[in-house]
Amino acid sequence: MEQGRTDQMDEQQNFHESHNTGVNVKEGRAGQRMKKDSIELHRKRGFEGKKESIIDHEKPAEQGGHVTFEIQPKNNTPQFLKKLSFGKGKSKTTVTGRDNKGFQVDNDAIHQQKLEKGIYAYPWDRTNLKSLSIDLKKLEKLDGYASKVDVTSSIEDLVKVLLKEANTDLEKVRAIWMWICHHIEYDVIGYKNTANALTSPIDVLQSRKSICEGYAGLFERMCSIAGIECIKLSGYAKGYGYKVGQNFSGDSDHAWNAVFLEGSWHLLDSTWGAGHCNNNCTQFTFKYEEYYFLTHPALFIGKHFPEDKKWQLLQPTVSLKQYETDITCGPGFYNAGLLSAHPETAIIKTADGKATVSIEGHSQTLFIFNLNGTEKSGLMTLQDNGMKLEVYPQVTGNHELQIYAKPYSSNGSYDFVLSYIIKCNSVNRSIKFPKDFINPLGPSWLTEKKGLLEPSHVEPIIHTEDGRCAISFKLNTHLSTMAELHSENITVTEDTKRRHIFQAHWENRVEFKVQLPQAGTYVLQIYAKNKSDHGMYDFVCNYLLCCTNASVKWPVFPLSYSSWMEDYELVEPLAGVLPANSNVHFKLRAPGVDAMYVDDKRSSPLTLCDNGYWQGTCNTTGCQTLHIYAKKRLTNSYSALLQYKVKT
């Protein structure tokens, strides 16, 4: 039993070891040369000055509704002409287009023209993570091919080989994306000295290493060769080194791309799609991240703020102030099947020493959290598709709350999903957290999956004025249960704490009667296992029991022996310590028993009444202990069921 409980605690206390602590890469001042290089590349390709504009969009609907984000279609005039020639031997690729003047069209005219031609929309129902409908399974063969291509002679030769398995524009972009994400390593040295980082497309290809500007530049160049319209964007990013709630100013610090597919612009970030760096950005690890490929603009804005707001592809656009204050939901959040979090601001002020966070998902999800890295000063309850967390900082000041999650169906580790800064002005001393307290608290869908149904108490916190309570569940017949009581208010043995709980079964329910030894805050931990399983009990759920009545002082329940069966029921006496020189009435139910007596000085027999209960009275005079003995059917011997002590 102890191992089962320990495993549950270890999982929550040591999640830092099991979850990927890497973070997305973000440049320090890498954006200083972005505009200049981008203009130069555009000039070489012959479409410098080409502009796109955004028209008004529908305002996002409330949660649960249908949200529509719209952008303008590509301007059809003037045409962008392209010609690809892949001859035998050395590859020859040419890209032709009208001169720059042909692309210098009045922005207002383009705006009006797009209004007349119609608009394109990004439907979003809070489950689709991409701005374009994609069947990833149909791309698996292409993905496998593109990720294994190994060409370094030239960018043109590389694109030629990649396009052998790509037919549509989407497949061309996908092949380029997969190759870059699996072959370009992030330059951790160049990150710290961007002036010496290799960022030109050919240098990135040959060195297989760069910072974000090089990733985005190579992607843009490869798309140009493939005949795909693509631009390099720059702006502020919530990546490596980002602190919750920080302000952004000065030069841009990250670069990514937008591609034009099926009449609309779409966003992607190959730097973050390739992998992540460790905490001090000294080592890069390839770890492909699908989330950053054609990410829906409503999600992409969570970590990317472009210099030119129109490239948010949203209307209305998000202000820099809103970007700074909003929570940051990245791939871990959405990959875990989560949909939304509340509050939506990254900094929370406590009210009466408490801050509340809730998360909604579309499937059953497990959560763990920490405050300032180690503290567990919070009460978390699982909900059908999410969770609610009440945090009670134990000191005033700023605290960092980190939340981790994983789908219940997953056998993997918990992934980081969200951070908040909690500003605490006062501490709530009424809530205590016993040392052995484990979240989640109270019954939930997880309790049902463990086989305990229809709880008598659905609220996770039970306030008891007299220090007693009884909690019951409908129980699957194949389960065996047990419970433990923990508190920092009492210093007694584990056996004594267990004896403040008495378990009873009737029909298909199990009941845990609790008598608290004194006032205080306690955790009732409930465990279960299959009766046929000889292993440890598994943690099921727990309750927080609170008693403020200083006069409460209940003794332990009587000691039960192995002969006491799960379907037996004790009605009285429930106190394990009986008064001296007194008559005591006994009442209990024990199916399958033929005879029963109490071993006082007279061996007082108990009588089976019509209601199915054994009843009788004995006297405690001259006794130090009392035992109840029973003889089961088809046996000739008596076995001890319960032991009571008598006050001296």
Side-chain angles (χ1 to χ4, degrees), residues 42-50 97-105:
H42 281 60
R43 183 178 294 113
K44 291 178 180 179
R45 291 166 52 195
F47 62 94
E48 179 185 11
K50 179 173 175 60
R98 302 189 179 189
D99 59 25
N100 292 343
K101 294 181 180 179
F103 291 98
Q104 294 172 352
V105 183

Side-chain angles (χ1 to χ4, degrees), residues 462 464-471 483-487 489-490 492-504 511-524 545-547 549 551-559 570-578 643-644 647:
I462 299 176
T464 169
E465 182 63 21
D466 65 356
R468 295 189 298 180
C469 65
I471 302 170
E484 292 183 340
L485 193 66
H486 296 277
S487 176
N489 298 92
I490 55 175
V492 295
T493 64
E494 292 296 321
D495 180 66
T496 300
K497 283 189 285 188
R498 277 193 289 267
R499 287 184 57 192
H500 281 278
I501 306 168
F502 200 86
Q503 182 172 289
E511 180 183 62
F512 301 98
K513 299 179 186 291
V514 181
Q515 295 182 162
L516 301 179
Q518 63 188 52
T521 302
Y522 297 79
V523 178
L524 177 67
L545 310 182
C546 301
C547 178
N549 186 353
S551 65
V552 164
K553 192 173 183 181
W554 288 103
V556 295
F557 286 100
L559 176 65
L570 176 65
V571 178
E572 60 177 333
L574 293 176
V577 181
L578 303 177
Q643 180 200 75
Y644 292 85
K647 289 183 179 179

Side-chain angles (χ1 to χ4, degrees), residues 202-312:
I202 187 60
D203 287 341
V204 175
L205 172 67
Q206 294 177 348
S207 67
R208 300 289 180 94
K209 182 180 295 188
S210 189
I211 56 176
C212 66
E213 185 180 356
Y215 277 86
L218 178 60
F219 196 97
E220 181 185 40
R221 176 60 180 152
M222 292 176 71
C223 283
S224 174
I225 295 172
I228 303 296
E229 190 169 357
C230 173
I231 65 170
K232 180 172 64 174
L233 303 174
S234 60
Y236 298 127
K238 295 179 180 178
Y240 176 75
Y242 168 72
K243 300 297 182 182
V244 176
Q246 80 175 56
N247 296 324
F248 291 90
S249 62
D251 296 327
S252 296
D253 54 23
H254 193 50
W256 57 93
N257 295 97
V259 293
F260 197 86
L261 295 171
E262 299 184 13
S264 300
W265 286 100
H266 303 271
L267 303 168
L268 51 83
D269 186 338
S270 57
T271 309
W272 291 0
H276 59 258
C277 291
N278 57 1
N279 286 334
N280 55 4
C281 202
T282 58
Q283 182 179 357
F284 174 78
T285 301
F286 277 104
K287 186 178 180 182
Y288 176 71
E289 181 52 72
E290 174 65 38
Y291 174 81
Y292 292 109
F293 179 72
L294 308 188
T295 315
H296 197 289
L299 307 182
F300 202 77
I301 190 62
K303 305 190 76 171
H304 299 75
F305 189 87
E307 285 182 332
D308 187 341
K309 286 187 177 182
K310 76 177 182 182
W311 288 110
Q312 295 178 16

Side-chain angles (χ1 to χ4, degrees), residues 305-557:
F305 189 87
E307 285 182 332
D308 187 341
K309 286 187 177 182
K310 76 177 182 182
W311 288 110
Q312 295 178 16
L313 305 184
L314 299 173
Q315 186 65 29
T317 58
V318 174
S319 68
L320 179 59
K321 181 64 176 178
Q322 183 179 349
Y323 176 73
E324 292 171 341
T325 58
D326 278 354
I327 55 175
T328 303
C329 299
F333 185 90
Y334 295 104
N335 291 341
L338 305 179
L339 301 176
S340 62
H342 183 83
E344 296 180 347
T345 54
I347 299 177
I348 312 172
K349 293 182 179 180
T350 59
D352 298 325
K354 180 181 75 172
T356 302
V357 173
S358 61
I359 294 179
E360 178 190 358
H362 59 71
S363 61
Q364 294 172 335
T365 308
L366 298 174
F367 297 87
I368 53 179
F369 71 94
N370 72 68
L371 199 63
N372 303 322
T374 58
E375 299 175 35
K376 301 293 189 298
S377 304
L379 306 176
M380 181 177 67
T381 55
L382 293 179
Q383 299 174 341
D384 287 343
N385 292 315
M387 71 89 162
K388 179 181 178 182
L389 173 63
E390 295 179 349
V391 181
Y392 297 84
Q394 299 299 289
V395 295
T396 58
N398 291 349
H399 304 264
E400 183 178 9
L401 172 66
Q402 295 180 320
I403 302 173
Y404 301 77
K406 72 172 181 178
Y408 177 75
S409 57
S410 170
N411 293 322
S413 60
Y414 286 83
D415 289 326
F416 171 77
V417 296
L418 199 55
S419 278
Y420 285 95
I421 293 296
I422 297 178
K423 292 182 175 291
C424 179
N425 296 321
S426 63
V427 176
N428 188 329
R429 301 296 181 186
S430 64
I431 298 294
K432 303 293 183 181
F433 297 91
K435 181 176 59 177
D436 294 320
F437 175 66
I438 300 174
N439 275 298
L441 185 65
S444 66
W445 57 265
L446 181 60
T447 314
E448 294 181 358
K449 287 186 176 294
K450 298 289 187 179
L452 275 68
L453 315 173
E454 300 178 9
S456 60
H457 293 69
V458 295
E459 294 298 324
I461 302 178
I462 299 176
H463 295 275
T464 169
E465 182 63 21
D466 65 356
R468 295 189 298 180
C469 65
I471 302 170
S472 66
F473 295 87
K474 180 180 177 181
L475 184 66
N476 287 343
T477 56
H478 67 280
L479 286 180
S480 177
T481 57
M482 66 165 293
E484 292 183 340
L485 193 66
H486 296 277
S487 176
E488 296 177 4
N489 298 92
I490 55 175
T491 55
V492 295
T493 64
E494 292 296 321
D495 180 66
T496 300
K497 283 189 285 188
R498 277 193 289 267
R499 287 184 57 192
H500 281 278
I501 306 168
F502 200 86
Q503 182 172 289
H505 290 251
W506 71 94
E507 296 179 351
N508 62 345
R509 294 191 70 86
V510 59
E511 180 183 62
F512 301 98
K513 299 179 186 291
V514 181
Q515 295 182 162
L516 301 179
Q518 63 188 52
T521 302
Y522 297 79
V523 178
L524 177 67
Q525 296 178 345
I526 301 174
Y527 302 85
K529 72 169 185 176
N530 290 329
K531 291 181 178 179
S532 60
D533 187 359
H534 297 291
M536 302 298 177
Y537 283 81
D538 292 328
F539 173 81
V540 175
C541 77
N542 56 24
Y543 286 88
L544 206 60
L545 310 182
C546 301
C547 178
T548 59
N549 186 353
S551 65
V552 164
K553 192 173 183 181
W554 288 103
V556 295
F557 286 100

Side-chain angles (χ1 to χ4, degrees), residues 174-192:
R174 182 70 175 188
I176 294 169
W177 158 269
M178 291 300 292
W179 189 90
I180 290 179
C181 288
H182 287 83
H183 290 84
I184 305 301
E185 175 185 352
Y186 190 80
D187 186 359
V188 294
I189 297 177
Y191 162 75
K192 297 176 180 178

